[in-house]
Amino acid sequence: MTSLRVVVAEDHLLVRAGIEALLGEEEGVEVVGSCGRYEELLELVDQKNPDVVITDIRMPPTMTDEGIRAATVLRSTHPEIAVLVLSQFLDPFYLLHLIQEGSGGRGYLLKERIAQPGELILALRTVAGGGSFIDPVVVDSLMSAKARDDEGPLRHLTSREREIMAEVAAGRSNLAIATAFGVSERTVEKYINSIFLKLGLQGDRDTNRRVKAALMFLDSTTS
């Protein structure tokens, strides 16, 4: 079985070591390189050609948006490589920029969630498989903000539809959502079709509708 090859970019040594330790315990995952600076990350990717890059959102030299810039560069130079960005703060602006050119193979996870069982691996495997992953905590915050906006599209959704939408925006599959809520996949499909209808997204392919639904909330929250 081929291992999932990962490069880790994090300037804090202890955090980087912790991430590597967690990944080292996961069968089928191999850390092929690690670094702490933006330039080193790009060089390491060229050398190792990993399947996934896990990167801090802020690294030297500027400590601003190096992780987002790396994800943008890699979309052009290595489009086959997935990127999972780790952030200490809930920042919709950076999240929007991460997925504005496409959410496939891109993920955004809060650092506080790394220690929670399975969260890092779930996010890693989701983006490695070409899916998108948005930290549920981030989605919940954005959904709550939007729910308070009487002019926003969420005003048309029921409370259960909002809960389902949060799972969709976080990149969960219909099966995963059905399992989490203890209902059938068919029931989840009905909820999602209703959500897309209310958001005016009924005409697109399912994958595109899921991405557009997430972007609607993110874009309106940051505007």
Side-chain angles (χ1 to χ4, degrees), residues 28-218:
V29 176
E30 177 187 5
V31 177
V32 296
S34 63
C35 60
R37 297 179 63 88
Y38 173 76
E39 298 88 349
E40 293 173 344
L41 170 57
L42 298 183
E43 292 175 1
L44 200 54
V45 167
D46 286 337
Q47 294 170 6
K48 301 296 185 179
N49 193 32
D51 300 302
V52 185
V53 167
I54 298 179
T55 177
D56 190 2
I57 199 169
R58 296 174 180 176
M59 292 182 294
T62 69
M63 299 298 293
T64 54
D65 63 347
E66 279 77 11
I68 302 298
R69 286 195 282 131
T72 301
V73 169
L74 294 178
R75 188 178 293 281
S76 298
T77 61
H78 299 275
E80 75 285 0
I81 296 178
V83 180
L84 174 61
V85 173
L86 304 179
S87 177
Q88 189 172 351
F89 306 103
L90 194 167
D91 198 323
F93 175 80
Y94 287 134
L95 174 54
L96 181 60
H97 277 69
L98 175 66
I99 64 176
Q100 66 181 352
E101 295 182 7
S103 63
R106 292 294 180 269
Y108 189 97
L109 181 68
L110 295 179
K111 285 187 177 181
E112 66 187 46
R113 305 264 291 172
I114 293 177
Q116 296 189 17
E119 282 300 315
L120 178 62
I121 299 301
L122 173 62
L124 176 69
R125 293 198 179 279
T126 298
V127 298
S132 62
F133 185 94
I134 303 174
D135 193 307
V137 173
V138 177
V139 174
D140 289 346
S141 176
L142 296 174
M143 295 286 283
S144 296
K146 180 52 63 180
R148 293 192 295 268
D149 182 358
D150 291 338
E151 299 304 316
L154 273 186
R155 65 192 174 97
H156 300 297
L157 304 185
T158 66
S159 59
R160 177 45 65 95
E161 286 173 342
R162 291 173 184 167
E163 293 172 347
I164 297 291
M165 186 61 241
E167 297 295 313
V168 171
R172 304 289 192 263
S173 67
N174 287 2
L175 177 58
I177 297 172
T179 301
F181 285 91
V183 298
S184 68
E185 259 190 283
R186 180 57 182 161
T187 298
V188 172
E189 290 175 4
K190 290 180 179 179
Y191 275 120
I192 291 176
N193 287 335
S194 174
I195 291 168
F196 289 153
L197 179 63
K198 292 177 179 180
L199 297 181
L201 300 175
Q202 64 271 27
D204 292 348
R205 293 173 51 211
D206 185 61
T207 300
N208 292 337
R209 287 185 295 180
R210 286 173 179 261
V211 173
K212 286 183 178 180
L215 284 174
M216 285 174 66
F217 296 121
L218 294 171

